[in-house]
Amino acid sequence: MHGTPRLTPELVLRAYAEGLFPMAERRDDPTLYWISPEARGIIPLDKFHVSHRLARTIRSGRFTVTADRAFAEVLAACAAPAPGREDTWINAEIVSLYTALFAKGHAHSLECWYRGRLVGGLYGVGMGAAFFGESMFSCERDASKVALAHLVARLRSAGYELLDTQFITSHLASLGACEIPRRAYMTKLKKAIAKKAVWPGYCPAPSGSTMGASAALALGETGLTGAEDSTGGPSWPGWLVLQLITQTS
């Protein structure tokens, strides 16, 4: 790995396009490094796996899931120590960079709420039809999995082609993540970033039955996708998320 000088959001985006991403070794280490794994983790958007128990949780609506409503809070939670994860790779410069990327519309978050409290979520970067997942957190059972399921539904509805997880964990593998060689990843990456997908894409809305869906612009039409809750954002109904994840083209 090679140390880098202070980065800019624009440089980070150019690096993503070349298959690189920045990380710190520890939260208190001010140095960032460019990473490009030989084996890259991805979640094929048509192969996201939902267990029966997770499907019940999603369908129940136990968690309210919003997008881009609490990016700073999600980033802070991902950076914070947690049981079994006493240290993280998210240092102060990562926080500054991705906060700037969010302000410019390139970084995004999904938030899981329970009784008005943020209990899980994830954040990442969108470019073209590729989404680069950076980190997730959970302090309620399945909260991060529900957030990821909602992310996959949104990406599929918007025509995204690549969901990059960078590395593989047993947690991600249980949800359908796999590793591919760097060369295969670069082929997928170049194809995906050459296309355009608009975050958060098109929100499918009910059309005649509880299992039908039609395309409607998400922005300004939140009533079509779910209720406006106390967190201030639209929440997609669980049955719709499950439909989008499992439907085939």
Side-chain angles (χ1 to χ4, degrees), residues 153-168:
R154 286 175 177 267
L155 297 183
R156 289 196 61 165
S157 73
Y160 280 74
E161 296 188 352
L162 176 65
L163 174 51
D164 174 11
T165 67
Q166 301 176 348
F167 301 106
I168 287 291

Side-chain angles (χ1 to χ4, degrees), residues 4 15 37 58 63 89 101 103 126 130 141 151 158-159 182-183 185 190 192-193 201 203 206 212 221 234 238 243:
T4 65
I58 295 170
F63 300 113
W89 53 270
L101 285 167
R141 182 174 181 175
L151 173 66
R182 181 190 290 160
R183 179 174 296 181
Y185 171 79
K190 296 300 183 184
I193 64 176
C203 285
E221 298 188 19
Q243 181 186 4

Side-chain angles (χ1 to χ4, degrees), residues 36-94:
S36 180
E38 287 291 340
R40 192 71 166 239
I42 66 168
I43 296 179
L45 291 171
D46 60 348
K47 292 182 171 60
F48 185 75
H49 175 70
V50 180
S51 68
H52 292 303
R53 183 176 60 79
L54 179 57
R56 286 196 301 271
T57 301
I58 295 170
R59 192 179 295 111
S60 73
R62 180 171 185 263
F63 300 113
T64 297
V65 184
T66 57
D68 289 348
R69 298 295 175 178
F71 183 87
E73 291 88 340
V74 169
L75 183 52
C78 289
R85 188 193 68 185
E86 283 66 37
D87 200 3
T88 72
W89 53 270
I90 302 173
N91 66 3
E93 188 165 0
I94 289 286

Side-chain angles (χ1 to χ4, degrees), residues 1-248:
M1 297 188 297
H2 301 286
T4 65
R6 189 166 184 85
L7 304 181
T8 65
E10 293 73 22
L11 181 58
V12 172
L13 291 176
R14 291 200 297 271
Y16 274 113
E18 297 300 325
L20 301 160
F21 55 89
M23 290 184 70
E25 288 191 347
R26 301 179 311 278
R27 187 180 183 187
D28 61 356
D29 185 347
T31 306
L32 295 182
Y33 300 88
W34 289 123
I35 310 294
S36 180
E38 287 291 340
R40 192 71 166 239
I42 66 168
I43 296 179
L45 291 171
D46 60 348
K47 292 182 171 60
F48 185 75
H49 175 70
V50 180
S51 68
H52 292 303
R53 183 176 60 79
L54 179 57
R56 286 196 301 271
T57 301
I58 295 170
R59 192 179 295 111
S60 73
R62 180 171 185 263
F63 300 113
T64 297
V65 184
T66 57
D68 289 348
R69 298 295 175 178
F71 183 87
E73 291 88 340
V74 169
L75 183 52
C78 289
R85 188 193 68 185
E86 283 66 37
D87 200 3
T88 72
W89 53 270
I90 302 173
N91 66 3
E93 188 165 0
I94 289 286
V95 171
S96 177
L97 279 170
Y98 286 83
T99 300
L101 285 167
F102 175 70
K104 293 175 180 290
H106 299 298
H108 304 284
S109 62
L110 285 184
E111 305 90 21
C112 255
W113 308 85
Y114 181 65
R115 297 180 177 177
R117 182 170 64 96
L118 183 65
V119 296
L122 58 85
Y123 78 96
V125 173
M127 180 186 298
F131 189 87
F132 308 90
E134 287 294 318
S135 187
M136 61 175 62
F137 83 98
S138 181
C139 51
E140 286 280 342
R141 182 174 181 175
D142 287 341
S144 63
K145 291 183 180 181
V146 171
L148 187 56
H150 276 252
L151 173 66
V152 171
R154 286 175 177 267
L155 297 183
R156 289 196 61 165
S157 73
Y160 280 74
E161 296 188 352
L162 176 65
L163 174 51
D164 174 11
T165 67
Q166 301 176 348
F167 301 106
I168 287 291
T169 64
S170 57
H171 173 78
L172 292 173
S174 71
L175 297 167
C178 61
E179 287 185 331
I180 59 175
R182 181 190 290 160
R183 179 174 296 181
Y185 171 79
M186 291 303 300
T187 298
K188 289 180 178 291
L189 174 64
K190 296 300 183 184
K191 180 182 176 184
I193 64 176
K195 296 188 175 182
K196 186 174 183 180
V198 180
W199 176 272
Y202 292 90
C203 285
S207 58
S209 72
T210 58
M211 292 304 291
S214 61
L217 273 175
L219 300 178
E221 298 188 19
T222 57
L224 296 175
T225 64
E228 286 283 342
D229 68 277
S230 60
T231 64
S235 177
W236 289 24
W239 64 262
L240 179 54
V241 169
L242 292 174
Q243 181 186 4
L244 286 166
I245 290 172
T246 58
Q247 69 182 189
T248 57

